[in-house]
Amino acid sequence: MNSDKIVDAKGMACPMPIVKTKKSMDELRSGQVLEVHATDKGAKNDLTAWAKSTGHELLSTAEENGVYKFWIKKA
Amino acid sequence: MKDNIEKTTIVLFSGELDKAIAAFIIANGAAAFDQEVTLFFTFWGLNALRKDEHVAVKKGFLENMFAKMMPRGANKLGLSKMNFGGMGPKMIKHVMKKHHALSLPELIELAKEQGVKLVACTMTMDLLGLQKEELMEGIEYAGVAAYLGDATDAKVNLFI
């Protein structure tokens, strides 16, 4: 999936993945897609909740070798 | 983006490292949710805002005793469990580093950077004899009314 920006939050502990995601999302324009990579085991629930609460659209998720990947479209 | 900004308010009453870390992680998380966040420090929680260095201010005998007996700043706080006379905090800091978790001073910096409002309770500052000069820069000073003003329209209100 194409993305306009990638956030590498691998190895980071709570709450850094969502803090970094938020900061990067602020730099995007509406409709652009942010890709997030994280290894925190809570990342899937955290980013799903974050997208829901902030109104952005979680397009897709994937997991490869312990790395969780997310594609979020800016509202 | 939603138009109505949600709010979170947290009272940090406790002066222990683990509780302060929990409060700041929630505050930083809420700020990342685009919320307006107020962290209100009262009683022992105020010690997390103290500067590490000694600040020369005029104090009475009791205030001086308090100042000496309370931890001076975020780096000096003890743990609420397994403090082991100061060994506990050393161990937890080591483990936190290993897991790439932010330290309390880093969490405080991040909170400021994210626009979290840090408010020191002026009434308990008087009780504990803490003066503005002894607390870190970039914080606000207020009482219960200002806290309630923020808390009334916040959906998340925590007392830690």
Coordinates of all heavy atoms in Angstrom, one line a residue, chain A:
Chain A
M1 N 0.8 -1.2 0.0 CA 0.0 0.0 0.0 C 0.9 1.2 0.0 O 1.9 1.3 0.7 CB -0.9 0.0 1.2 CG -2.0 1.1 1.2 SD -3.1 1.0 2.6 CE -4.1 -0.4 2.1
N2 N 0.5 2.3 -0.8 CA 1.2 3.5 -0.8 C 1.0 4.3 0.4 O 0.0 4.3 1.0 CB 0.8 4.3 -2.1 CG 1.3 3.7 -3.3 OD1 2.4 3.0 -3.4 ND2 0.6 3.8 -4.4
S3 N 2.1 5.1 0.8 CA 1.9 6.0 1.9 C 2.7 7.3 1.6 O 3.6 7.3 0.8 CB 2.4 5.3 3.2 OG 3.7 4.9 3.0
D4 N 2.3 8.3 2.2 CA 2.9 9.6 2.0 C 4.1 9.9 3.0 O 4.9 10.7 2.8 CB 1.9 10.8 2.1 CG 0.8 10.6 1.0 OD1 1.2 10.9 -0.1 OD2 -0.3 10.2 1.4
K5 N 4.0 9.1 4.1 CA 5.0 9.3 5.2 C 5.1 8.1 6.0 O 4.1 7.4 6.2 CB 4.6 10.5 6.0 CG 5.7 11.0 7.0 CD 5.3 12.2 7.7 CE 6.2 12.6 8.8 NZ 7.4 13.3 8.4
I6 N 6.3 7.7 6.5 CA 6.4 6.5 7.3 C 6.9 6.9 8.7 O 7.9 7.7 8.8 CB 7.4 5.5 6.7 CG1 6.8 5.0 5.4 CG2 7.6 4.3 7.6 CD1 7.7 4.0 4.6
V7 N 6.3 6.4 9.7 CA 6.7 6.6 11.1 C 7.4 5.3 11.6 O 6.8 4.2 11.6 CB 5.6 6.9 12.1 CG1 6.1 7.0 13.5 CG2 4.9 8.2 11.7
D8 N 8.7 5.4 12.0 CA 9.3 4.2 12.5 C 9.3 4.3 14.0 O 10.1 5.0 14.6 CB 10.8 4.1 12.0 CG 11.5 2.9 12.5 OD1 10.8 2.0 13.1 OD2 12.7 2.8 12.2
A9 N 8.4 3.5 14.6 CA 8.3 3.5 16.1 C 8.7 2.2 16.6 O 8.4 1.8 17.7 CB 6.9 3.8 16.5
K10 N 9.6 1.5 15.9 CA 10.0 0.1 16.3 C 10.9 0.3 17.5 O 11.8 1.2 17.6 CB 10.8 -0.6 15.2 CG 9.9 -0.9 14.0 CD 10.5 -1.9 13.1 CE 11.7 -1.4 12.2 NZ 11.3 -0.4 11.2
G11 N 10.7 -0.6 18.5 CA 11.5 -0.5 19.7 C 11.0 0.5 20.7 O 11.6 0.5 21.8
M12 N 10.1 1.3 20.4 CA 9.6 2.4 21.3 C 8.5 1.8 22.2 O 7.7 1.0 21.8 CB 9.1 3.5 20.5 CG 10.2 4.3 19.8 SD 9.4 5.7 19.0 CE 10.9 6.4 18.2
A13 N 8.6 2.3 23.4 CA 7.6 1.9 24.4 C 6.5 3.0 24.5 O 6.6 4.1 24.2 CB 8.3 1.7 25.8
C14 N 5.4 2.5 25.1 CA 4.2 3.4 25.4 C 4.7 4.6 26.1 O 5.4 4.4 27.1 CB 3.2 2.5 26.2 SG 1.8 3.5 26.8
P15 N 4.3 5.8 25.9 CA 3.3 6.2 24.9 C 3.9 6.7 23.5 O 3.2 7.3 22.8 CB 2.6 7.4 25.6 CG 3.7 8.1 26.3 CD 4.7 7.0 26.6
M16 N 5.2 6.4 23.3 CA 5.8 7.0 22.2 C 5.2 6.7 20.8 O 5.2 7.6 19.9 CB 7.3 6.7 22.2 CG 8.1 7.5 23.2 SD 7.6 9.2 23.2 CE 8.4 9.8 21.7
P17 N 4.8 5.4 20.5 CA 4.2 5.2 19.2 C 3.1 6.1 18.8 O 3.1 6.7 17.7 CB 3.8 3.7 19.3 CG 4.7 3.1 20.2 CD 4.9 4.2 21.3
I18 N 2.2 6.4 19.7 CA 1.1 7.3 19.4 C 1.5 8.7 19.4 O 1.0 9.5 18.6 CB -0.3 7.1 20.2 CG1 0.0 7.3 21.7 CG2 -0.9 5.7 19.9 CD1 -1.4 7.6 22.4
V19 N 2.4 9.1 20.2 CA 2.9 10.5 20.2 C 3.6 10.8 18.9 O 3.4 11.8 18.3 CB 3.9 10.7 21.4 CG1 4.5 12.1 21.3 CG2 3.1 10.6 22.8
K20 N 4.4 9.8 18.4 CA 5.1 10.0 17.2 C 4.1 10.0 16.0 O 4.3 10.8 15.0 CB 6.2 8.9 16.9 CG 7.5 9.2 17.7 CD 8.6 8.5 17.0 CE 9.2 9.3 15.8 NZ 10.5 8.9 15.4
T21 N 3.2 9.1 16.1 CA 2.1 9.1 15.0 C 1.4 10.4 14.9 O 1.2 10.9 13.9 CB 1.1 7.9 15.3 OG1 1.9 6.7 15.4 CG2 0.1 7.8 14.2
K22 N 1.0 10.9 16.1 CA 0.3 12.2 16.1 C 1.1 13.3 15.5 O 0.6 14.1 14.7 CB -0.1 12.5 17.6 CG -1.0 13.7 17.7 CD -0.4 14.8 18.6 CE -1.3 16.0 18.8 NZ -1.3 17.0 17.9
K23 N 2.4 13.4 15.9 CA 3.2 14.5 15.4 C 3.3 14.4 13.9 O 3.3 15.4 13.2 CB 4.6 14.4 16.0 CG 4.7 14.9 17.4 CD 6.1 14.9 18.0 CE 6.2 15.4 19.4 NZ 7.4 15.1 20.0
S24 N 3.5 13.2 13.4 CA 3.7 13.0 11.9 C 2.4 13.3 11.2 O 2.4 13.9 10.1 CB 4.2 11.6 11.6 OG 5.4 11.3 12.2
M25 N 1.3 12.9 11.8 CA 0.0 13.1 11.2 C -0.3 14.6 11.0 O -0.9 15.1 10.1 CB -1.1 12.5 12.0 CG -2.4 12.3 11.3 SD -2.3 11.4 9.8 CE -3.2 9.9 10.1
D26 N 0.2 15.4 12.0 CA 0.0 16.8 12.0 C 0.7 17.5 10.8 O 0.3 18.5 10.3 CB 0.6 17.5 13.3 CG -0.3 17.3 14.5 OD1 -1.5 16.8 14.3 OD2 0.2 17.5 15.6
E27 N 1.7 16.8 10.2 CA 2.4 17.3 9.1 C 1.8 17.0 7.7 O 2.2 17.5 6.7 CB 3.9 16.8 9.1 CG 4.7 17.4 10.3 CD 6.0 16.6 10.5 OE1 6.4 15.8 9.6 OE2 6.6 16.8 11.6
L28 N 0.8 16.1 7.8 CA 0.2 15.6 6.5 C -1.1 16.5 6.2 O -1.6 17.2 7.1 CB -0.2 14.2 6.6 CG 0.9 13.1 6.7 CD1 0.3 11.7 6.6 CD2 1.9 13.3 5.6
R29 N -1.5 16.4 4.9 CA -2.7 17.1 4.6 C -3.8 16.0 4.5 O -3.6 14.8 4.5 CB -2.6 17.7 3.2 CG -1.6 18.9 3.1 CD -1.7 19.5 1.7 NE -1.5 18.5 0.6 CZ -0.3 18.2 0.2 NH1 0.8 18.6 0.8 NH2 -0.2 17.3 -0.8
S30 N -5.1 16.5 4.6 CA -6.2 15.7 4.6 C -6.2 14.8 3.4 O -5.9 15.2 2.3 CB -7.5 16.6 4.6 OG -8.6 15.7 4.6
G31 N -6.5 13.5 3.6 CA -6.5 12.5 2.5 C -5.2 11.8 2.3 O -5.1 10.7 1.7
Q32 N -4.1 12.3 2.9 CA -2.8 11.6 2.8 C -2.7 10.4 3.7 O -3.5 10.4 4.7 CB -1.6 12.6 3.0 CG -1.4 13.6 1.9 CD -0.2 14.4 2.1 OE1 0.0 15.0 3.2 NE2 0.7 14.5 1.1
V33 N -1.8 9.5 3.4 CA -1.8 8.3 4.2 C -0.4 8.2 5.0 O 0.6 8.4 4.4 CB -1.9 7.0 3.3 CG1 -1.8 5.7 4.1 CG2 -3.3 7.0 2.6
L34 N -0.6 7.9 6.2 CA 0.6 7.7 7.1 C 0.8 6.2 7.4 O -0.2 5.5 7.7 CB 0.3 8.4 8.4 CG 1.5 8.5 9.4 CD1 2.6 9.3 8.9 CD2 1.0 9.0 10.8
E35 N 2.0 5.8 7.2 CA 2.3 4.4 7.5 C 3.1 4.3 8.8 O 4.1 5.0 9.0 CB 3.2 3.8 6.4 CG 3.5 2.3 6.5 CD 4.2 1.8 5.2 OE1 4.0 2.4 4.1 OE2 4.9 0.8 5.4
V36 N 2.7 3.4 9.8 CA 3.3 3.4 11.1 C 3.9 2.0 11.3 O 3.2 1.0 11.1 CB 2.3 3.7 12.2 CG1 3.0 3.7 13.6 CG2 1.7 5.0 12.0
H37 N 5.1 1.9 11.7 CA 5.7 0.6 12.1 C 6.0 0.6 13.6 O 6.6 1.5 14.1 CB 7.1 0.4 11.3 CG 6.9 0.3 9.9 ND1 8.0 0.2 9.0 CD2 5.8 0.4 9.1 CE1 7.5 0.2 7.7 NE2 6.2 0.3 7.8
A38 N 5.6 -0.4 14.3 CA 5.8 -0.5 15.7 C 6.0 -1.9 16.2 O 5.6 -2.9 15.5 CB 4.6 0.1 16.5
T39 N 6.7 -2.1 17.3 CA 6.9 -3.4 17.8 C 6.2 -3.6 19.2 O 6.2 -4.7 19.7 CB 8.4 -3.7 18.0 OG1 9.0 -2.6 18.6 CG2 9.1 -3.9 16.6
D40 N 5.7 -2.5 19.8 CA 5.1 -2.6 21.1 C 3.8 -3.5 20.9 O 3.0 -3.3 20.0 CB 4.7 -1.2 21.5 CG 3.9 -1.2 22.8 OD1 4.0 -2.1 23.6 OD2 3.1 -0.2 23.0
K41 N 3.7 -4.5 21.8 CA 2.6 -5.4 21.7 C 1.2 -4.8 21.9 O 0.2 -5.3 21.5 CB 2.8 -6.5 22.8 CG 3.9 -7.5 22.5 CD 4.0 -8.6 23.5 CE 4.7 -8.2 24.7 NZ 6.1 -7.8 24.5
G42 N 1.2 -3.6 22.5 CA -0.1 -2.9 22.6 C -0.4 -2.0 21.4 O -1.5 -1.4 21.4
A43 N 0.5 -2.0 20.4 CA 0.3 -1.0 19.3 C -1.0 -1.2 18.5 O -1.6 -0.2 18.2 CB 1.5 -1.1 18.4
K44 N -1.4 -2.5 18.4 CA -2.5 -2.7 17.5 C -3.8 -2.0 18.2 O -4.5 -1.3 17.5 CB -2.8 -4.2 17.3 CG -3.8 -4.4 16.2 CD -3.7 -5.7 15.6 CE -4.7 -5.8 14.4 NZ -4.9 -7.1 13.9
N45 N -4.0 -2.3 19.4 CA -5.1 -1.7 20.1 C -5.0 -0.2 20.3 O -6.0 0.5 20.1 CB -5.3 -2.4 21.5 CG -6.0 -3.7 21.4 OD1 -6.9 -3.9 20.6 ND2 -5.6 -4.6 22.3
D46 N -3.8 0.2 20.5 CA -3.5 1.6 20.8 C -3.8 2.4 19.5 O -4.5 3.5 19.5 CB -2.1 1.9 21.2 CG -1.9 1.7 22.7 OD1 -2.9 1.4 23.4 OD2 -0.8 1.9 23.2
L47 N -3.3 2.0 18.4 CA -3.4 2.8 17.2 C -4.8 2.7 16.6 O -5.3 3.7 16.0 CB -2.4 2.4 16.1 CG -1.0 3.0 16.4 CD1 0.1 2.2 15.8 CD2 -1.0 4.5 15.8
T48 N -5.5 1.6 16.8 CA -6.9 1.5 16.4 C -7.7 2.5 17.2 O -8.6 3.2 16.7 CB -7.4 0.0 16.7 OG1 -6.5 -0.9 16.0 CG2 -8.8 -0.2 16.2
A49 N -7.5 2.5 18.5 CA -8.3 3.4 19.4 C -7.9 4.9 19.0 O -8.8 5.8 19.0 CB -7.9 3.2 20.9
W50 N -6.7 5.1 18.7 CA -6.2 6.5 18.4 C -6.9 7.0 17.1 O -7.4 8.1 17.1 CB -4.7 6.5 18.3 CG -4.2 7.9 17.9 CD1 -3.9 8.9 18.8 CD2 -3.9 8.4 16.6 NE1 -3.5 10.0 18.1 CE2 -3.5 9.8 16.8 CE3 -3.9 7.9 15.3 CZ2 -3.1 10.6 15.7 CZ3 -3.6 8.7 14.3 CH2 -3.1 10.0 14.5
A51 N -6.9 6.1 16.1 CA -7.5 6.5 14.8 C -9.0 6.8 15.0 O -9.6 7.8 14.5 CB -7.3 5.4 13.8
K52 N -9.7 5.9 15.8 CA -11.1 6.1 16.0 C -11.4 7.4 16.7 O -12.3 8.1 16.4 CB -11.6 4.9 16.9 CG -13.1 4.7 16.9 CD -13.5 3.5 17.7 CE -15.0 3.6 18.0 NZ -15.3 2.9 19.2
S53 N -10.6 7.7 17.8 CA -10.9 8.8 18.6 C -10.6 10.1 17.9 O -11.2 11.2 18.1 CB -10.1 8.7 19.9 OG -10.3 9.9 20.6
T54 N -9.5 10.1 17.0 CA -9.1 11.4 16.4 C -9.8 11.6 15.0 O -9.7 12.6 14.4 CB -7.6 11.4 16.1 OG1 -7.2 10.1 15.5 CG2 -6.8 11.6 17.4
G55 N -10.6 10.5 14.6 CA -11.4 10.7 13.4 C -10.6 10.3 12.1 O -11.2 10.4 11.0
H56 N -9.4 9.8 12.2 CA -8.7 9.4 11.0 C -9.1 7.9 10.7 O -9.6 7.2 11.5 CB -7.1 9.4 11.3 CG -6.7 10.8 11.7 ND1 -6.9 11.9 10.9 CD2 -6.0 11.2 12.8 CE1 -6.3 12.9 11.6 NE2 -5.8 12.5 12.7
E57 N -8.8 7.5 9.4 CA -9.3 6.2 9.0 C -8.2 5.2 9.0 O -7.2 5.4 8.2 CB -10.0 6.3 7.6 CG -10.7 5.1 7.2 CD -11.1 5.2 5.7 OE1 -11.1 6.2 5.1 OE2 -11.5 4.1 5.2
L58 N -8.3 4.2 9.7 CA -7.3 3.1 9.7 C -7.7 2.2 8.5 O -8.7 1.5 8.5 CB -7.4 2.3 11.0 CG -6.4 1.1 11.2 CD1 -5.0 1.6 11.1 CD2 -6.6 0.4 12.5
L59 N -6.8 2.3 7.5 CA -7.1 1.6 6.2 C -6.8 0.1 6.3 O -7.6 -0.7 5.8 CB -6.4 2.3 5.1 CG -6.6 3.7 4.8 CD1 -5.6 4.2 3.7 CD2 -8.0 4.0 4.3
S60 N -5.6 -0.2 6.9 CA -5.2 -1.5 6.8 C -4.1 -1.8 7.9 O -3.5 -0.8 8.4 CB -4.6 -1.8 5.5 OG -4.0 -3.1 5.4
T61 N -4.0 -3.0 8.3 CA -2.9 -3.4 9.3 C -2.3 -4.7 8.8 O -2.9 -5.4 8.0 CB -3.5 -3.6 10.7 OG1 -4.4 -4.8 10.7 CG2 -4.2 -2.4 11.3
A62 N -1.0 -4.9 9.2 CA -0.3 -6.1 8.9 C 0.7 -6.4 9.9 O 1.1 -5.5 10.7 CB 0.4 -5.9 7.5
E63 N 1.1 -7.7 10.0 CA 2.1 -8.0 11.0 C 3.2 -8.9 10.3 O 2.8 -9.9 9.6 CB 1.5 -8.8 12.1 CG 2.5 -8.9 13.3 CD 2.2 -10.0 14.3 OE1 1.0 -10.4 14.3 OE2 3.1 -10.5 14.9
E64 N 4.4 -8.5 10.4 CA 5.5 -9.2 9.8 C 6.6 -9.4 10.8 O 7.2 -8.4 11.2 CB 6.1 -8.5 8.5 CG 5.3 -8.6 7.3 CD 5.8 -7.6 6.2 OE1 7.1 -7.4 6.2 OE2 5.0 -7.1 5.5
N65 N 7.0 -10.6 11.1 CA 8.1 -10.8 12.0 C 8.1 -9.9 13.3 O 9.1 -9.3 13.6 CB 9.5 -10.6 11.3 CG 9.6 -11.4 10.0 OD1 9.1 -12.5 10.0 ND2 10.1 -10.8 9.0
G66 N 6.9 -9.8 13.9 CA 6.9 -9.1 15.1 C 6.8 -7.6 14.9 O 6.7 -6.8 15.9
V67 N 6.7 -7.1 13.7 CA 6.6 -5.7 13.4 C 5.1 -5.5 12.9 O 4.6 -6.1 12.0 CB 7.5 -5.2 12.3 CG1 7.3 -3.7 12.0 CG2 9.0 -5.4 12.7
Y68 N 4.4 -4.6 13.7 CA 3.1 -4.3 13.3 C 3.1 -3.0 12.4 O 3.8 -2.1 12.6 CB 2.2 -3.9 14.5 CG 2.2 -5.0 15.6 CD1 3.1 -5.1 16.6 CD2 1.2 -6.0 15.5 CE1 3.1 -6.1 17.5 CE2 1.2 -7.1 16.4 CZ 2.1 -7.1 17.4 OH 2.1 -8.1 18.3
K69 N 2.3 -3.1 11.3 CA 2.3 -2.0 10.3 C 0.8 -1.5 10.2 O -0.1 -2.3 10.2 CB 2.8 -2.5 9.0 CG 4.3 -2.9 9.0 CD 4.8 -3.2 7.7 CE 6.3 -3.5 7.7 NZ 6.8 -3.9 6.4
F70 N 0.7 -0.2 10.1 CA -0.6 0.4 10.0 C -0.6 1.4 8.9 O 0.4 2.1 8.7 CB -0.9 1.1 11.3 CG -0.8 0.3 12.6 CD1 0.4 0.1 13.2 CD2 -1.9 -0.4 13.1 CE1 0.6 -0.7 14.3 CE2 -1.8 -1.2 14.2 CZ -0.6 -1.4 14.8
W71 N -1.7 1.6 8.2 CA -1.9 2.6 7.2 C -3.1 3.4 7.6 O -4.2 2.9 7.7 CB -2.1 2.0 5.8 CG -0.8 1.4 5.3 CD1 0.1 2.0 4.5 CD2 -0.3 0.1 5.5 NE1 1.1 1.2 4.2 CE2 0.9 0.0 4.8 CE3 -0.8 -1.0 6.2 CZ2 1.7 -1.2 4.8 CZ3 0.0 -2.2 6.2 CH2 1.2 -2.3 5.5
I72 N -2.8 4.7 7.9 CA -3.9 5.6 8.4 C -4.1 6.8 7.5 O -3.1 7.5 7.2 CB -3.6 6.0 9.9 CG1 -3.2 4.8 10.8 CG2 -4.8 6.8 10.5 CD1 -2.6 5.2 12.1
K73 N -5.3 7.0 7.1 CA -5.6 8.1 6.2 C -6.1 9.3 7.0 O -7.0 9.2 7.8 CB -6.7 7.7 5.2 CG -6.9 8.7 4.1 CD -7.8 8.0 3.0 CE -8.7 9.0 2.3 NZ -9.7 8.3 1.5
K74 N -5.5 10.4 6.7 CA -5.8 11.6 7.5 C -7.2 12.1 7.2 O -7.6 12.3 6.0 CB -4.8 12.7 7.3 CG -5.1 14.0 8.1 CD -3.8 14.8 8.3 CE -4.2 16.1 9.1 NZ -3.0 16.8 9.6
A75 N -8.0 12.5 8.2 CA -9.4 12.9 8.0 C -9.3 14.4 7.4 O -8.4 15.1 7.7 CB -10.1 12.9 9.3

